[in-house]
């Protein structure tokens, strides 16, 4: 699958196999095929509903990520076309964004088929918003706090290892630092206007 004309000939099952592959080059091939096949449809959806081209690019990217993660979950079964599923995901993402801008209006659809998104995909979309907010909050913290929270939450390091890595006197010092940093992060996140919309 080296050129565009070949990529456009592959079907949903082949794209799905690429997405579910453990080889990054095949995953990229699947994502590239989805982009070539369906980006225009999502761009049209966003442009017809109070959006700009930059918005369409962001929504499509987030939709691809959500679809990619969903397709790799154990027991995933494709019950609609990838086009319809991706459209439903991106449509929901754009509605969420319009609500935040207080510009929600009935959407003008550009794809006639509809599919209800299961709770798993909706959770992924909400998690994406939450993670973006948390990532922004982490940027507001000092480098020590960023490192401690990263070690604890993302790398699952034990307190003893965190203390060693950070040069703290012991586990209790590391625990206290983690608690203080987490409190600062929580205060920053909850102070943001979008926090209520993201957490409901």
């Amino acid at each position: 699958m080296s050129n565009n004309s070949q990529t456009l000939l592959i079907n949903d099952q082949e794209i799905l196999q690429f997405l579910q592959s453990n080889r990054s080059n095949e995953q990229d091939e699947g994502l590239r095929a989805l982009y070539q096949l369906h980006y225009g449809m999502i761009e049209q959806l966003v442009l017809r509903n109070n959006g700009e081209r930059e918005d369409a690019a962001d929504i499509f990217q987030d939709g691809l990520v959500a679809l990619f993660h969903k397709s790799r979950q154990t027991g995933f079964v494709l019950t609609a076309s990838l086009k319809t599923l991706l459209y439903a995901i991106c449509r929901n993402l754009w509605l969420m964004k319009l609500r935040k801008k207080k510009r929600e209006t009935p959407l003008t659809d550009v794809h006639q088929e509809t599919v209800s998104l299961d709770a798993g995909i909706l959770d992924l979309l909400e998690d994406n918003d939450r993670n973006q907010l948390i990532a922004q909050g982490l940027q507001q913290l000092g480098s020590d706090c960023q490192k401690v929270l990263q070690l604890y939450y993302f790398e699952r390091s034990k307190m003893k290892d965190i203390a060693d890595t950070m040069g703290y006197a012991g586990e209790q010092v590391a625990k206290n630092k983690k608690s203080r940093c987490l409190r600062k992060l929580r205060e920053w996140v909850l102070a943001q206007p979008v926090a209520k919309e993201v957490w409901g």
Side-chain angles (χ1 to χ4, degrees):
M1 299 288 172
S2 56
N3 64 46
N4 290 352
S5 60
Q6 283 182 309
T7 302
L8 290 172
L9 295 175
I10 68 178
N11 62 34
D12 276 4
Q13 286 307 317
E14 289 173 311
I15 293 174
L16 199 54
Q17 284 174 4
F18 281 138
L19 297 180
Q20 293 171 340
S21 168
N22 290 323
R23 298 174 62 177
S24 60
N25 64 319
E26 291 188 350
Q27 294 169 9
D28 290 345
E29 192 71 44
L31 293 170
R32 196 176 303 119
L34 287 171
Y35 181 89
Q36 290 170 348
L37 288 165
H38 306 310
Y39 180 78
M41 173 181 68
I42 303 306
E43 184 179 65
Q44 198 178 9
L45 169 72
V46 172
L47 291 179
R48 282 195 186 179
N49 292 281
N50 299 313
E52 306 290 337
R53 283 195 161 77
E54 293 81 7
D55 298 319
D58 290 343
I59 292 295
F60 189 83
Q61 185 67 35
D62 289 346
L64 268 190
V65 170
L67 177 59
F68 175 73
H69 286 303
K70 183 63 181 174
S71 73
R72 295 178 65 81
Q73 288 179 350
T74 306
F76 173 76
V77 177
L78 191 61
T79 55
S81 69
L82 284 174
K83 176 181 183 178
T84 297
L85 186 55
L86 182 61
Y87 181 82
I89 291 170
C90 291
R91 187 181 190 279
N92 269 268
L93 281 169
W94 186 235
L95 272 173
M96 287 161 65
K97 198 153 194 172
L98 286 175
R99 282 189 198 118
K100 285 177 194 168
K101 293 179 177 180
K102 304 291 187 276
R103 290 166 64 189
E104 188 179 358
T105 55
L107 282 192
T108 301
D109 280 303
V110 298
H111 179 50
Q112 297 313 308
E113 293 177 50
T114 58
V115 61
S116 296
L117 297 181
D118 63 43
I121 293 185
L122 292 173
D123 285 346
L124 269 175
L125 302 187
E126 288 175 5
D127 285 347
N128 183 56
D129 265 5
R130 289 173 187 151
N131 291 341
Q132 285 182 358
L133 194 55
I134 290 169
Q136 289 170 16
L138 282 171
Q139 297 297 316
Q140 310 302 312
L141 303 177
S143 57
D144 276 11
C145 272
Q146 288 182 30
K147 184 67 176 171
V148 167
L149 294 179
Q150 182 183 342
L151 287 168
Y152 185 76
Y153 287 104
F154 300 108
E155 298 179 25
R156 307 287 190 211
S157 298
K158 292 183 171 63
M159 281 299 165
K160 181 181 182 307
D161 296 330
I162 293 175
D164 291 344
T165 301
M166 300 299 294
Y168 298 150
E171 288 182 51
Q172 192 56 50
V173 177
K175 277 183 186 175
N176 293 343
K177 180 70 172 178
K178 190 253 313 180
S179 296
R180 282 197 303 273
C181 293
L182 190 57
R183 187 170 64 249
K184 282 184 191 172
L185 176 61
R186 188 180 291 120
E187 286 170 357
W188 185 89
V189 166
L190 293 178
Q192 303 313 300
V194 297
K196 287 180 184 173
E197 292 163 15
V198 170
W199 266 272

